[in-house]
């Protein structure tokens, strides 16, 4: 699931009234710079986002079970189990 569709779906399921505003790459970089992030770091963040977003958001790593002793859950499962905390 790729943002923003995934985030919109999650917000709907959690009945959130928050809105998602998608930024283009240049807009996101400008926002980072405007927040005081230096150019080298902003470029690194943008490069990481461009190359790692798919694998980061779609892979459940075995490390979770090795550390916690129980299998990892999807975000959907976590959100369902914690829905009351957001209402």
């Amino acid at each position: 699931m790729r943002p923003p569709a995934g985030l919109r779906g999650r917000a709907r399921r959690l009945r959130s009234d928050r809105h998602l505003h998608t930024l283009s790459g240049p807009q996101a970089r400008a926002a980072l710079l405007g927040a005081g992030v230096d150019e080298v770091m902003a470029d690194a963040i943008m490069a990481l986002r461009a190359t790692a977003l798919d694998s980061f958001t779609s892979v459940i790593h075995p490390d979770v079970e090795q550390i916690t002793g129980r299998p990892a859950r999807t975000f959907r499962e976590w959100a369902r189990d914690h829905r009351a905390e957001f209402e």
Side-chain angles (χ1 to χ4, degrees):
M1 187 179 309
R2 289 186 54 99
L7 294 176
R8 286 190 183 114
R10 291 172 189 152
R12 238 187 346 268
R13 285 188 291 281
L14 292 171
R15 297 183 186 145
S16 173
D17 62 351
R18 298 187 182 178
H19 299 280
L20 174 69
H21 300 280
T22 303
L23 300 178
S24 68
Q27 289 172 318
R29 185 178 184 276
L32 289 169
L33 295 173
V37 175
D38 68 61
E39 286 190 36
V40 172
M41 183 60 77
D43 290 341
I45 291 169
M46 296 306 296
L48 178 62
R49 180 187 177 278
T51 59
L53 187 58
D54 283 335
S55 65
F56 178 76
T57 58
S58 63
V59 174
I60 296 176
H61 298 276
D63 299 349
V64 173
E65 187 169 2
Q66 292 170 358
I67 293 168
T68 66
R70 60 179 185 221
R73 296 183 287 173
T74 65
F75 182 81
R76 175 178 288 168
E77 292 166 332
W78 178 89
R80 183 195 62 227
D81 294 346
H82 292 88
R83 181 180 190 147
E85 297 170 38
F86 296 96
E87 295 181 328

